[in-house]
Every structure is written in C-alpha cells, then in structure tokens.
Amino acid sequence: MDRFELICPAGTPAALRAAVEAGADAVYLGFRDETNARNFPGLNFTRQDLAESIAFAHARRVQVFVAINTYPEAGNLAPWHRAVDDAARLKADAVILADLGLLDYAARTHPELRLHLSVQASAANAEAIRLYRDAFGVRRIVLPRVLTVPEIAKLNAEVDVETEVFVFGGLCPMAEGRCSLSSYATGLSPNKQGVCSPASHVRYEPRGKALASTLGGFTINVFGEGENAGYPTLCKGRFVARDTAAYLFEEPTSLNAMDLLPELKSAGVRALKIEGRQRGKAYIGAVVRAYREALDAFAAGRPVPRIDLQAMVEGGTQTTGAYTRAWR
C-alpha cells in the first residue's frame, strides 16, 4: 500500500463537486429514500443526479460509492433491490451494504459489482469479516468506531480484506446498526428509515432563562443563558444522574485522527473516511482539502502540517475517539 485512499461524503451534487475538486479519491452518497442511513429532507441523489455525478467524478478519476446501508423492511424488499440494480446500471464503483439478504442479492444479481461492508454491519472480528468475504465476495470492510489502533492492526494481520476507518466527523458511541435510541424516542430509526434524531421531532423550548432541546417529547438538554444550544442527538444528551447533569453516553465532540496517520498506516488500513453527508459544501470542501494536504505530505515523507479544523468540529472539541482509548 503506497498511499491512503481518501473517502469523502456528499449529501448533494454540489457537495460531491466540492469533494472532488478538493481532492477526494472517492465520494460516497445515497439515494433520496430510506435505503441509506442519511435519509433527511433536502439531502441525497435522484437517479439522474447520480448519473450526472458519476460522469463528473469519473472524468476526474474519482470513484463513486453508493451507500445502501439500511436494513430492508420485511415484505418490502423492492426499494433496496432497485437501489442496488440502479447503482450497478449507472456504473457506481461500489455499493456499501449492511444487510445479509441484500449482500446475497447483490452478489448473485450483479457479480461484477464491487461490494463494501457498511459500518452499519458492525463487523469487528476476523471471523465475521471472513464470512462476509467468503459468502458474498466483500472486498472492503468499514470498521466500527469502537476499535483501538492495536486492535485494527491485529485484525488486518488476520484477514485479506481491505479496511476503511473513519478519521473525521461525528462519533457514534453505540455499535453501529445496533442502536435503538432514536427509534425509541421518535419511532424512526437510522437502521430502518435512515434517520437518527430527525429534525421533524426536534423542538426548542424556553424554560425561564434557559433553553431546552427536546426530541420526540423527551428533554435532551437544557442550556443556560449564553450557552450555545446544540442539536438534540439523543446519545449526546445531557441527563441528570445522582443529582448531577452530565453527558452520560457521549459528549458532543468530533473525531479528528489526522495525528494518527503513521499509526493507521502501520496498522494496515487502506482507506480513510470523512463523515458528514448532512453537511454543506463549504464544510466538505474545507475538510477534504485539509485531509488531502495532510495525506499528500504524509505520502511524500514530509511532516504532516498542523491544520486548524476547529471551526468544523461539533461542540468545539476534537478527539481521537476509541483509537487511543486506555480504558476497557
């Protein structure tokens, strides 16, 4: 492996163009329906959008991956099958899947289509990865954000499948594809409908001098006077336990693993992924450009520049997440 592959998000055709022009090696996106895990109003791609975006990207030697990474509704497989069929027909470079049945459908129906395993499948051990490789011909695994760098290195030493890891953006403290918090509060799930903590269920309510954020009628946070009010993602709520208000699941911070490039390469990682399909083109352009500069310097043996991405991070704080955790 000579260089990392930089995988970048796009929630709109404009964001895709920004990612391509900023230096992405590949862009990942989804259709405008429940088949992808970022199914929010105003986001995602029609079939015509995808055709035009693939032509734009391929003309600049950039790949396009289509995320079809939710779990099909029982008795209603057609939207997911149609998504796989259309991604293949429009010459996407890979599809990112999580569901076993959908992997089987794609492998049987489109044997020429490259298959990547979504982080939503939460495959985190060698036995699981070998199963996906042997049964469906999966070529790449997007690893869940719960592994340390030594654990990733051990995993890569045991399998011959490419691995991809997140290096920037929002963190999910739960095992991806297994979390039911959003569906409990709103009836809508990222695993089924592709939405986590959807805006349609969000409210902000004044409470004296404070401002409360709610999701599905549940209070997620109460912000004091002058405190910045964040979005009420349920797992990043501030709750009272033992008479103390604290972030019980996960603080609202952003992953930034730019300082870990040598360790991730030594661990055998093939591709680095930026999170943020719900973000605008300015965010996409700035983050992709920064990582392109860092990766080019790293590949050339130069010191990785210190690039300030503070304005782009959630909650104003950054973390290396589980990659460097010392706890069990």
Side-chain angles (χ1 to χ4, degrees):
M1 181 182 67
D2 295 325
R3 61 193 292 272
F4 286 118
E5 189 176 321
L6 183 59
I7 316 299
C8 304
T12 64
L16 178 139
R17 291 191 293 272
V20 170
E21 291 167 353
D25 292 310
V27 177
Y28 68 101
L29 50 83
F31 287 122
R32 195 174 290 173
D33 56 33
E34 69 274 28
T35 63
N36 88 92
R38 287 291 184 272
N39 181 28
F40 294 108
L43 285 186
N44 299 312
F45 289 67
T46 66
R47 271 53 176 180
Q48 183 62 33
D49 289 337
L50 180 59
E52 294 171 359
S53 294
I54 288 175
F56 178 88
H58 283 179
R60 292 154 181 80
R61 299 185 178 181
V62 175
Q63 294 186 313
V64 176
F65 304 157
V66 179
I68 310 170
N69 58 343
T70 52
Y71 292 87
E73 178 185 356
N76 183 31
L77 300 177
W80 283 265
H81 287 179
R82 188 163 54 247
V84 172
D85 294 341
D86 288 344
R89 174 177 59 83
L90 295 170
K91 306 300 182 185
D93 297 285
V95 290
I96 307 169
L97 309 178
D99 180 70
L100 287 167
L102 200 57
L103 283 159
D104 178 65
Y105 175 83
R108 288 186 294 103
T109 310
H110 303 286
E112 77 291 348
L113 183 60
R114 182 179 172 97
L115 305 184
H116 292 185
L117 189 70
S118 171
V119 69
Q120 285 289 99
S122 204
N125 61 70
E127 290 79 6
I129 292 172
R130 282 194 287 266
L131 172 65
Y132 286 110
R133 177 201 63 192
D134 295 344
F136 310 116
V138 166
R139 305 275 295 278
R140 178 178 296 179
I141 307 288
V142 185
L143 293 175
R145 288 163 280 191
V146 295
L147 300 174
T148 65
V149 172
E151 287 169 339
I152 293 170
K154 184 174 185 297
L155 196 59
N156 277 324
E158 297 176 3
V159 300
D160 59 355
V161 179
E162 295 175 2
T163 54
E164 178 175 312
V165 301
F166 284 92
V167 290
F168 192 89
L171 278 169
C172 181
M174 308 300 174
E176 284 94 345
R178 307 289 189 271
C179 180
S180 297
L181 285 177
S182 178
S183 57
Y184 176 80
T186 70
L188 298 173
S189 164
N191 310 317
K192 298 284 288 185
Q193 290 84 27
V195 289
C196 177
S197 303
S200 57
H201 289 66
V202 170
R203 300 290 183 273
Y204 291 92
E205 305 169 353
R207 295 185 183 173
K209 293 185 178 181
L211 181 67
S213 62
T214 69
L215 179 73
F218 294 93
T219 299
I220 306 303
N221 214 328
V222 178
F223 302 95
E225 191 174 11
E227 189 177 6
N228 290 331
Y231 188 87
T233 303
L234 204 156
C235 63
K236 298 179 181 179
R238 191 161 47 180
F239 305 103
V240 176
R242 297 183 178 179
D243 300 320
T244 301
Y247 293 101
L248 297 185
F249 297 108
E250 178 74 27
E251 293 190 9
T253 63
S254 282
L255 175 67
N256 187 357
M258 190 177 288
D259 290 341
L260 299 179
L261 297 183
E263 291 86 350
L264 291 172
K265 182 171 184 187
S266 295
V269 171
R270 177 70 183 91
L272 306 180
K273 189 168 199 168
I274 295 170
E275 186 273 341
R277 282 194 283 145
Q278 72 279 23
R279 302 281 194 157
K281 63 180 182 179
Y283 170 96
I284 300 297
V287 175
V288 174
R289 196 172 295 110
Y291 264 86
R292 179 78 276 153
E293 183 180 348
L295 293 183
D296 287 349
F298 179 71
R302 303 191 306 269
V304 175
R306 303 293 299 181
I307 302 173
D308 183 10
L309 289 171
Q310 187 65 20
M312 301 296 166
V313 302
E314 182 181 7
T317 56
Q318 304 177 49
T319 177
T320 53
Y323 295 139
T324 55
R325 75 167 188 255
W327 45 266
R328 276 287 175 190

